[in-house]
Amino acid sequence: MPSRAEVAYFGAGPAPLPTPVIEASARAFVNFEDTGLSLAEISHRSPTANKILADAKQALTTLYDIPDDYDIFFMQAGGTGEFSAACQNLVGCWIEQRRRKAVADLGEGKDDEVLARVKKEIENELKVDYLVTGSWSLKASQEATRLLGAKYVNVALDARKSDGNNKFGKIPAETDWKLTPKGSALTYMCDNETVDGVEFPSFPKSLEENDRIVVADMSSNFMSKKLDVSKYGVIFGGAQKNLGITGITVVIIRKSLLGLVPPPTFLHQLSDVLPTSGALPPIMFSFSTIAANNSLYNTLPVFNLYVATLVLQSLVTKFKTVSGQEEVADQKAKLIYDTLDSYPDLYHVVPDKNVRSRMNICVRIIAGKSEGKVTPDDAKEKTFLAGAEKRNLLGLKGHRSVGGIRISNYNAVPVENVQKLVEWLNEFAKSG
């Protein structure tokens, strides 16, 4: 059996963790700081749990320089749960803004007139915008359609339509996007598409217009690059890529959004124009509820949070800010892409060069190219994966929906493991 040090793991998630974090977490799971209790056993409302929570928030604030007018909290249900939560909460914010404006214009006690006006505005103006650049943003848009109905969902960009083969791999020019002209309840983007290997190279300029409330899923590139947090309304990410283990989701949110919660009774009265599920989240998906209770409305998995806290604190100790980790991520990605590009007749990187993910490198081993199209060689891919496994290079098989090879270059993958993979890529290419 190989030791941990002998294995280079490139799985897409759950992802590798720094070995010191694993070792410290193992001790805490058995006996946390000589208390005689596992960290999985202590109360989520204890001083110990509250300190872990505070430490996590402090480290995040330091790494991302999060402004004072933003809140940080932790939820459950992963990024997929946030597909629903973000949609429901922000549609609720939009409705509450309209309700308050109607009350201000029409006066108190005009409940029927206020209701009629908001209903009309919902029918004529409510939209949620989705930038569909890969499998995860597609799922997010489909969830919005399930909750709200297709009428209210605007797919402002479907990247598959920019390619003749109806596959993801490009992000069309912003001039081709069909954003709701006067703004929407939210504009959703998946900053890095884990399945398809597509990453936004920078924050889109068109999203800085019309006071758009940008919701970014950063599950798979969280803590890997610098951010101007002030450009986003909501940033969320499942922990199991760059932050920790499954079971928690981090949310960074503009505080002003937390106060815009419509009365449930008002939402019930809108049911003939908008499904109640569209703007009334379950209590555990209510951003305002979770924030008001400091992530402790229900039993927060403290051990899972502790793992993330150790990861965050290690980044602070090593780099001070996230820009240091960004440099390492870029270095590793360059090593891999430069090697793949050296053998264009064997390795075909799936996405366009200008949107290549630094975290999830999707590649096919090909039999040849003809008229711009590539022919994957399944037999060679199986041989490559078998050879990689013999060398303890694990987790390289592509997602079941697209096949091929996927190299996940998360933060805890050390440079030396990338170098081992590069050696195998070179050896395989030269073996004929």
Side-chain angles (χ1 to χ4, degrees), residues 17-297:
L17 285 162
T19 295
V21 168
I22 288 285
E23 292 171 342
S25 300
R27 291 190 295 271
F29 193 80
V30 176
N31 186 352
F32 181 66
E33 295 184 349
D34 297 322
T35 61
L37 289 173
S38 166
L39 196 53
E41 296 172 321
I42 69 165
S43 168
H44 63 297
R45 301 193 188 280
S46 66
T48 298
N50 275 272
K51 183 178 186 306
I52 292 169
L53 186 55
D55 287 346
K57 294 168 76 170
Q58 181 57 55
L60 266 171
T61 300
T62 299
L63 288 163
Y64 272 144
D65 192 22
I66 298 174
D68 291 340
D69 58 341
Y70 280 74
D71 203 347
I72 303 166
F73 52 83
F74 298 90
M75 299 177 68
Q76 297 171 53
T80 303
E82 296 308 315
F83 294 169
S84 307
C87 180
Q88 292 171 312
N89 281 273
L90 293 180
V91 169
C93 289
W94 187 94
I95 290 172
E96 179 61 5
Q97 284 180 318
R98 299 304 178 104
R99 188 191 72 82
R100 292 182 186 182
K101 181 68 164 57
V103 170
D105 290 347
L106 299 172
E108 296 289 345
K110 301 291 183 65
D111 295 352
D112 291 343
E113 291 92 332
V114 168
L115 179 63
R117 175 167 143 173
V118 174
K119 280 185 176 182
K120 185 177 180 180
E121 290 175 343
I122 289 172
E123 290 191 288
N124 295 333
E125 301 175 36
L126 175 61
K127 290 291 182 183
V128 289
D129 287 348
Y130 281 77
L131 305 180
V132 176
T133 55
S135 301
W136 288 110
S137 50
L138 176 61
K139 288 184 178 182
S141 70
Q142 291 169 338
E143 175 64 353
T145 300
R146 188 183 73 86
L147 293 171
L148 300 173
K151 173 182 177 179
Y152 299 114
V153 180
N154 174 41
V155 176
L157 155 66
D158 186 339
R160 294 171 298 179
K161 295 180 180 178
S162 67
D163 203 329
N165 61 13
N166 198 39
K167 293 183 179 180
F168 293 117
K170 297 180 179 179
I171 299 179
E174 293 184 44
T175 51
D176 294 333
W177 300 2
K178 307 297 182 184
L179 294 164
T180 302
K182 295 182 180 180
S184 53
L186 66 93
T187 302
Y188 171 94
M189 62 186 292
C190 182
D191 205 59
N192 182 75
E193 292 280 0
T194 320
V195 173
D196 306 283
V198 172
E199 185 174 18
F200 279 89
S202 59
F203 187 85
K205 293 186 182 301
S206 58
L207 300 189
E208 298 182 35
E209 304 166 358
N210 295 318
D211 296 321
R212 296 189 184 277
I213 299 173
V214 179
V215 176
D217 179 352
M218 294 188 173
S219 294
S220 53
N221 65 351
F222 197 67
M223 306 312 305
S224 75
K225 67 176 187 177
K226 298 186 294 291
L227 290 179
D228 182 351
V229 172
S230 66
K231 292 182 178 180
Y232 301 85
V234 180
I235 297 169
F236 68 80
Q240 66 274 14
K241 313 291 188 181
N242 278 334
L243 188 58
I245 58 178
T246 54
I248 58 168
T249 307
V250 63
V251 178
I252 303 170
I253 186 170
R254 193 176 295 142
K255 288 179 179 177
S256 60
L257 296 171
L258 296 172
L260 293 169
V261 181
T265 52
F266 186 78
L267 293 175
H268 296 159
Q269 293 176 293
L270 301 174
S271 60
D272 56 335
V273 295
L274 182 74
T276 303
S277 63
L280 185 60
I283 197 70
M284 282 310 304
F285 277 179
S286 166
F287 289 164
S288 59
T289 298
I290 302 304
N293 288 274
N294 192 29
S295 305
L296 298 173
Y297 183 79

Side-chain angles (χ1 to χ4, degrees), residues 289-326:
T289 298
I290 302 304
N293 288 274
N294 192 29
S295 305
L296 298 173
Y297 183 79
N298 74 329
T299 307
L300 185 72
V302 177
F303 177 77
N304 305 56
L305 179 61
Y306 177 71
V307 176
T309 302
L310 291 180
V311 171
L312 292 167
Q313 289 177 327
S314 68
L315 289 173
V316 171
T317 299
K318 188 172 184 180
F319 298 117
K320 307 301 182 189
T321 70
V322 78
S323 59
Q325 181 60 58
E326 181 179 42

